[in-house]
């Protein structure tokens, strides 16, 4: 009898159906010479300190560091776990061969190996390694079973990771709690958790220390094109006014006009982190929820294995692309242009040297039904469109650069036009993200001739310097992936993944742990450290615990263990030495207590009803004449001396009714926030920012 062990009951049922093991037994399926049983995630875990010595149940600085001579495993204390393990243990003794059908990744390997180790398995063992749960994939996997020994280094890396997390988490958490917790709360320290918190704290300190400053920029309009002076920003209004006077005395001259045609590369296929980033940016989903949705899609056989860290496909998958694309019936309009010709085999998509345990996340040939959750549909759509887009041609663009001059002051204007949309066709209906849109680059630039000159309309733009942006889950995931380095280029980011902190499958859980510990909080999409999180990081003096770069070096060593390039025992010994040194340093160091304040729950008395703030227009200066105040009429807000001045802002602009607050923003700030619902704009814009121009005309910028 051959015993197959899957990681969860639903996967076991899929495998049993393919193998013909259709008779249900207590805790397993049987038939056709196979028994198919299952774990349900972790059945075993590393032993706790008190399992080695009962006295270690009590937290005491004198007992630190805790370093077991040999790490052991135990069953998780749970009746259901114990019952299922008895089934597995009995079947292991009865079978002739074991096939490890666990989740095809590092964590899945450790889960299964620990269970088989606990069951004292000495039978020959094979490994099922598949990237999707479709019937064809399972059949292909069983036709190409691997020797278990081929994945021994994967197990060693996962086991070393678990031991490293135990050594640092157990010792550092007890150490800092007893030294600085004041006996009131646990101060949780983790190998990945703490440097992640440190990145958020560091960003917050930069924001808190930031002092905004006014600046002035010289600009001019020549033939309806806005040019920017290519000099340093001016730091005083006096200098700006002098510059403006100078510009008024000289004509504008074109120095050079250049059009360069270029290409925008197709986006990469998704790995888990990139998918979590995109889902957070587009839909506001947390990293944990995105993982939950894509895991569900995988188990429903609609997408391939999601816990991956590569954006490439294996070269032998190329012949299957036509079939997968043909099956995606909800995207026929986008797929039709691809199916009439051979699917390109680009090195940016198919590259065996860039594929690790698994390939990138792509759809399977089983399209989803209409009964998916809304969130699952959205995540599937992200994966499907990205998959389709990589087979489209590159986007062809035209970049225009115009250099000009007024007297001795140089100016520049740039413009970008899309000549052939290529892969952008797949995203044609998406709204542009304001943060990614450079307004100057969107302007259409007519043809200029070097040497031409003429009158122009110079003006001064006043702005304020802005602080660094707080982390969102999307930007934090990227920072974890690159060990804190700010990297936009996809190819460079790919190279830095080996030094990222955490693994794609664990980063979401790390962020959630920081929330649960009350070390960080979310305000809208932004992440902020709480006072407890700030104080904890300030208390940790040792950079080893909070440096993303050093933690990234540990991750690199774990990946080398996986490849057989580094000894797992050496990694363990290095961590033991580090824990010993850290313990001595903290115990001898200065004592202080971190104040832990539990967040107070809101009561109904605390919730005050919102009251609308009345706007007193008679206290607001008219921006045009500056002599009179404003007044609210039936259809507009205008100057009290309207007959002489003529300034007014109607309540309805481009078919959208404005609130008084939005009109006040126009008057006082010169612009509104981003608004939607415009119905009668000449260029059919439906959303954008209303701007009060230098000439006091109202414009809609997208």
């Amino acid at each position: 009898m051959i015993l197959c062990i899957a990681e969860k009951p639903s996967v076991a049922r899929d495998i049993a159906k393919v193998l013909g093991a259709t008779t249900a037994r207590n805790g397993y399926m049987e038939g056709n010479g196979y028994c198919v049983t299952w774990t349900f995630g972790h059945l075993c875990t590393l032993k706790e300190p008190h399992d080695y010595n009962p006295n270690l149940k009590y937290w005491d600085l004198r007992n630190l560091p805790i370093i077991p001579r040999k790490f052991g495993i135990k069953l998780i204390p749970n009746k259901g776990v114990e019952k299922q393990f008895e089934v597995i243990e009995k079947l292991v003794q009865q079978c002739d061969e074991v096939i490890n059908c666990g989740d095809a990744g590092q964590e899945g390997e450790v889960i299964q190996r620990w269970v088989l180790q606990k069951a004292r398995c000495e039978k020959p063992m094979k490994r099922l390694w598949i990237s999707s749960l479709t019937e064809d994939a399972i059949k292909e996997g069983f036709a190409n079973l691997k020797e278990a020994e081929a994945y021994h280094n994967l197990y060693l890396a996962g086991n070393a990771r678990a031991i490293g997390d135990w050594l640092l988490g157990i010792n550092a958490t007890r150490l800092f709690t007893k030294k600085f917790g004041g006996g009131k709360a646990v101060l949780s320290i983790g190998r990945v958790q703490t440097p992640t918190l440190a990145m958020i704290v560091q960003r917050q300190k930069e924001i808190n220390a930031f002092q905004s400053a006014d600046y002035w920029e010289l600009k001019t309009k020549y033939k309806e094109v806005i040019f920017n002076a290519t000099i340093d920003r001016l730091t005083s209004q006096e200098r700006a006014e002098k510059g403006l006077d100078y510009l008024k005395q000289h004509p504008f001259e074109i120095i050079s006009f250049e059009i360069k045609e270029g290409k925008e590369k197709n986006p990469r296929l998704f790995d888990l982190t990139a998918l979590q980033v995109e889902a957070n940016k587009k839909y506001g989903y947390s990293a944990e929820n995105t993982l939950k949705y894509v895991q569900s899609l995988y188990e429903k056989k609609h997408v391939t294995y999601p816990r991956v860290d590569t954006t490439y496909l294996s070269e032998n998958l190329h012949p299957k692309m036509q079939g997968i694309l043909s099956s995606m019936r909800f995207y026929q309009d986008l797929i039709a242009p691809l199916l009439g010709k051979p699917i390109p085999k680009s090195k940016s998509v198919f590259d065996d040297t860039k594929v690790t345990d698994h390939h990138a996340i792509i759809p399977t040939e089983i399209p989803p039904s209409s009964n998916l959750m809304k969130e699952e549909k959205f995540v599937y759509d992200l994966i499907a469109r990205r998959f389709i887009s990589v087979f489209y041609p590159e986007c062809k663009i035209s970049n225009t650069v115009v250099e000009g001059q007024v007297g001795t002051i140089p100016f520049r204007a740039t413009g970008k036009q899309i000549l052939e949309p290529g892969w952008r066709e797949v995203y044609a209906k998406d709204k542009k993200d304001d943060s990614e849109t450079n307004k100057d680059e969107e302007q259409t630039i007519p043809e200029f001739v070097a040497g031409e000159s003429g009158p122009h309309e110079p003006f001064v733009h006043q702005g304020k310097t802005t602080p660094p942006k707080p982390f969102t889950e999307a930007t934090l995931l990227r920072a974890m992936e690159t060990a804190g380095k700010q990297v936009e280029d996809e190819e460079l980011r790919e190279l830095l993944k080996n030094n990222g902190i955490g693994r794609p499958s664990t980063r979401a859980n790390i962020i959630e742990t920081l929330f649960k510990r009350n070390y960080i909080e979310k305000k809208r999409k932004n992440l902020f450290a709480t006072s407890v999180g700030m104080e904890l990081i300030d208390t940790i003096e040792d950079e080893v615990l909070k440096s993303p770069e050093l933690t990234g070096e540990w991750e690199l060593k774990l990946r080398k263990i996986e490849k057989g390039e580094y000894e797992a025992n050496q990694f363990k010994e290095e961590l033991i030495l580090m824990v010993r040194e850290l313990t001595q340093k903290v115990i001898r160091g200065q004592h202080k207590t971190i104040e832990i304040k539990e967040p107070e729950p809101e009561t109904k008395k605390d919730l005050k009803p919102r009251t609308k703030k009345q706007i007193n227009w008679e206290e607001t200066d008219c921006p045009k004449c500056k002599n009179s105040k404003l007044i609210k009429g039936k259809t507009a807000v205008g100057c009290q001396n309207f007959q002489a001045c003529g300034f007014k802002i109607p309540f309805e602009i481009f078919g959208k009714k404005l609130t008084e607050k939005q009109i006040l923003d126009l008057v006082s700030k010169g612009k509104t926030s981003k608004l939607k619902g415009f119905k009668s704009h000449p260029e059919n814009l439906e959303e954008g920012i209303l701007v009060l121009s230098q000439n006091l005309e109202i414009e809609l910028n997208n």
Side-chain angles (χ1 to χ4, degrees):
M1 179 263 286
I2 298 174
L3 174 63
C4 300
I5 308 178
E7 194 176 318
K8 58 175 62 177
S10 61
V11 178
R13 284 193 294 272
D14 290 334
I15 291 171
K17 183 181 175 184
V18 171
L19 295 177
T22 53
T23 304
R25 303 291 187 196
N26 190 11
Y28 65 100
M29 309 284 288
E30 186 179 26
N32 202 26
Y34 290 92
C35 281
V36 182
T37 188
W38 55 84
T39 62
F40 18 83
H42 290 271
L43 294 192
C44 295
T45 185
L46 289 173
K47 287 181 177 178
E48 296 174 77
H50 61 262
D51 294 316
Y52 301 104
N53 181 342
N55 293 330
L56 296 179
K57 190 168 188 177
Y58 307 100
W59 292 26
D60 191 325
L61 285 175
R62 289 171 296 183
N63 292 333
L64 298 179
I66 300 167
I67 315 261
R69 277 186 298 177
K70 186 179 179 184
F71 282 85
I73 56 172
K74 66 174 185 177
L75 279 179
I76 290 172
N78 174 285
K79 286 186 178 179
V81 166
E82 290 164 4
K83 184 179 177 183
Q84 186 62 18
F85 178 74
E86 285 176 12
V87 172
I88 295 170
E89 189 175 35
K90 182 181 173 184
L91 292 171
V92 164
Q93 301 311 316
Q94 293 175 351
C95 75
D96 302 307
E97 180 182 77
V98 174
I99 300 177
N100 175 357
C101 304
D103 202 11
Q106 192 182 96
E107 189 179 10
E109 192 68 22
V110 171
I111 286 171
Q112 299 293 88
R113 294 280 189 120
W114 280 355
V115 168
L116 290 167
Q117 188 178 320
K118 187 71 179 169
R120 302 183 305 282
C121 177
E122 295 179 358
K123 303 293 172 68
M125 192 158 50
K126 294 259 190 344
R127 184 59 159 107
L128 175 71
W129 194 268
I130 53 178
S131 287
S132 79
L133 293 173
T134 64
E135 187 174 322
D136 286 346
I138 293 171
K139 284 179 179 176
E140 189 176 333
F142 271 94
N144 296 282
L145 290 171
K146 306 283 196 275
E147 293 296 329
E149 188 60 27
Y151 296 92
H152 186 61
N153 286 334
L154 185 69
Y155 163 69
L156 290 177
N159 195 58
R161 179 184 296 277
I163 288 172
D165 289 344
W166 192 101
L167 279 168
L168 198 62
I170 293 286
N171 285 293
T173 296
R174 291 189 178 203
L175 178 65
F176 279 82
T177 297
K178 295 305 291 180
K179 182 78 175 180
F180 305 111
K184 295 180 180 178
V186 173
L187 297 175
S188 174
I189 306 289
R191 187 179 60 84
V192 179
Q193 168 191 315
T194 303
T196 303
L197 175 60
M199 288 195 292
I200 298 171
V201 169
Q202 178 60 31
R203 178 66 57 86
Q204 197 154 327
K205 285 183 175 180
E206 291 169 4
I207 293 169
N208 293 346
F210 183 83
Q211 292 185 334
S212 182
D214 290 323
Y215 66 85
W216 290 261
E217 293 176 318
L218 298 177
K219 295 176 180 271
T220 192
K221 184 193 280 190
Y222 176 69
K223 291 188 175 178
E224 300 305 313
V225 175
I226 303 295
F227 286 80
N228 302 306
T230 55
I231 58 174
D232 292 339
R233 286 173 171 175
L234 304 175
T235 54
S236 74
Q237 188 170 1
E238 184 183 358
R239 289 187 64 194
E241 288 173 354
K242 282 183 180 177
L244 185 61
D245 288 341
Y246 177 83
L247 295 178
K248 289 176 178 177
Q249 295 169 23
H250 297 82
F252 188 91
E253 182 183 358
I254 296 293
I255 302 300
S256 67
F257 176 78
E258 185 178 22
I259 298 177
K260 282 186 179 178
E261 288 191 10
K263 293 179 180 179
E264 283 187 352
K265 290 182 179 178
N266 303 53
R268 290 280 177 83
L269 291 170
F270 282 126
D271 60 8
L272 178 58
T273 301
L275 179 62
Q276 289 169 318
V277 167
E278 192 68 16
N280 182 257
K281 284 164 63 177
K282 191 163 185 179
Y283 300 119
Y285 296 161
S286 69
E288 184 180 49
N289 281 339
T290 299
L291 177 54
K292 183 174 74 178
Y293 303 142
V294 72
Q295 181 70 23
S296 175
L297 289 168
Y298 168 65
E299 289 171 15
K300 291 171 181 173
K301 308 179 182 61
H302 303 315
V303 302
T304 58
Y305 184 71
R307 297 165 186 259
V308 300
D309 60 358
T310 183
T311 57
Y312 292 86
L313 299 178
S314 305
E315 292 166 29
N316 63 6
L317 286 175
H318 180 257
K320 297 182 180 181
M321 297 299 103
Q322 191 96 15
I324 295 173
L325 287 166
S326 299
S327 70
M328 296 171 70
R329 58 177 183 265
F330 298 112
Y331 300 90
Q332 287 306 307
D333 289 349
L334 296 174
I335 291 164
L338 299 176
L339 297 180
K341 48 193 173 184
I343 301 299
K345 194 175 182 181
S346 164
K347 202 70 175 171
S348 62
V349 179
F350 301 94
D351 190 343
D352 286 345
T353 65
K354 303 288 180 63
V355 175
T356 50
D357 299 340
H358 291 277
H359 56 69
I361 307 169
I362 62 172
T364 67
E365 64 274 19
I366 299 177
S369 59
S370 58
N371 60 2
L372 286 181
M373 289 170 51
K374 178 186 74 173
E375 292 83 0
E376 290 174 357
K377 287 179 182 176
F378 286 165
V379 170
Y380 179 84
D381 184 67
L382 290 177
I383 296 167
R385 287 179 186 274
R386 183 62 64 93
F387 176 66
I388 294 166
S389 72
V390 301
F391 301 118
Y392 265 68
E394 290 180 319
C395 171
K396 291 185 180 178
I397 57 172
S398 163
N399 288 312
T400 306
V401 180
V402 190
E403 305 279 356
Q405 191 170 297
V406 179
T408 58
I409 299 178
F411 280 81
R412 170 185 283 214
T414 58
K416 181 173 111 177
Q417 282 80 45
I418 293 176
L419 304 176
E420 293 178 22
W423 62 266
R424 285 190 173 276
E425 286 280 6
V426 180
Y427 299 98
K429 293 180 181 177
D430 281 11
K431 300 290 182 188
K432 284 186 179 177
D433 183 348
D434 252 14
S435 63
E436 296 175 1
T437 303
N438 183 318
K439 299 294 187 302
D440 289 340
E441 289 192 352
E442 292 302 311
Q443 59 181 334
T444 301
I445 296 182
E447 191 155 334
F448 292 104
V449 178
E452 71 171 87
S453 66
H456 60 112
E457 302 169 36
F459 60 95
V460 173
H461 167 74
Q462 182 179 354
K464 282 183 178 292
T465 55
T466 55
K469 290 182 179 179
F471 279 114
T472 62
E473 283 205 37
T475 55
L476 182 61
L477 284 165
R478 282 298 189 209
M480 293 173 77
E481 186 181 51
T482 56
K485 294 181 175 65
Q486 299 298 310
V487 179
E488 295 300 323
D489 183 79
E490 286 190 337
E491 289 183 18
L492 182 55
R493 197 159 57 218
E494 197 78 27
L495 294 173
L496 289 171
K497 281 183 181 180
N498 285 343
N499 291 69
I501 60 176
R503 287 181 71 83
S505 56
T506 61
R507 288 175 189 141
N509 182 253
I510 293 295
I511 296 170
E512 289 303 313
T513 298
L514 292 174
F515 281 121
K516 288 171 188 169
R517 301 284 185 197
N518 193 33
Y519 293 161
I520 65 172
E521 58 188 349
K522 186 182 286 188
K523 296 176 183 175
R524 295 188 178 176
K525 275 190 174 185
N526 296 328
L527 305 181
F528 297 93
T530 62
S531 58
V532 178
M534 298 277 283
E535 204 169 348
L536 177 59
I537 293 301
D538 287 343
T539 303
I540 299 171
E541 294 180 353
D542 202 311
E543 282 299 308
V544 169
L545 281 181
K546 58 184 182 180
S547 164
E549 289 84 0
L550 290 172
T551 307
E553 288 176 15
W554 295 344
E555 290 289 346
L556 182 59
K557 287 176 181 177
L558 286 166
R559 289 174 186 271
K560 284 185 174 180
I561 293 170
E562 197 173 306
K563 295 175 184 175
E565 299 170 359
Y566 203 79
E567 287 294 325
N569 279 334
Q570 186 177 343
F571 178 78
K572 185 176 82 172
E573 291 304 319
E574 287 173 3
L575 275 178
I576 288 172
L577 178 63
M578 192 207 80
V579 166
R580 289 191 193 280
E581 291 175 351
L582 175 71
T583 304
Q584 291 175 5
K585 189 188 295 185
V586 172
I587 288 175
R588 291 173 185 162
Q590 291 185 336
H591 177 79
K592 70 176 237 184
T593 300
I594 295 178
E595 291 294 326
I596 309 284
K597 292 181 181 177
E598 291 294 324
E600 295 180 10
E602 282 187 323
T603 63
K604 286 187 178 179
K605 290 180 182 177
D606 298 328
L607 300 174
K608 296 178 181 177
R610 288 186 178 181
T611 55
K612 277 192 175 180
K613 188 178 177 183
Q614 287 293 111
I615 296 171
N616 189 348
W617 291 106
E618 295 183 0
E619 293 179 358
T620 308
D621 290 329
C622 172
K624 185 175 182 182
C625 68
K626 297 184 171 53
N627 295 320
S628 302
K629 303 294 183 181
L630 296 178
I631 189 171
K632 176 185 171 186
K634 288 183 179 180
T635 60
V637 170
C639 182
Q640 288 184 357
N641 189 18
F642 178 74
Q643 288 185 334
C645 171
F647 177 78
K648 71 172 181 178
I649 296 180
F651 285 125
E652 184 173 311
I653 298 176
F654 302 132
K656 176 178 175 60
K657 288 186 178 178
L658 301 184
T659 65
E660 287 188 55
K661 171 68 170 63
Q662 289 162 348
I663 293 176
L664 182 62
D665 284 346
L666 258 181
V667 172
S668 58
K669 300 176 184 176
K671 63 179 182 178
T672 65
S673 57
K674 189 167 184 179
L675 305 176
K676 295 181 179 180
F678 295 99
K679 298 172 185 172
S680 58
H681 189 268
E683 296 176 16
N684 296 321
L685 295 178
E686 295 178 2
E687 61 180 71
I689 296 170
L690 288 174
V691 176
L692 196 61
S693 72
Q694 295 282 322
N695 302 328
L696 299 178
E697 293 176 354
I698 299 170
E699 300 170 354
L700 180 61
N701 293 341
N702 65 348

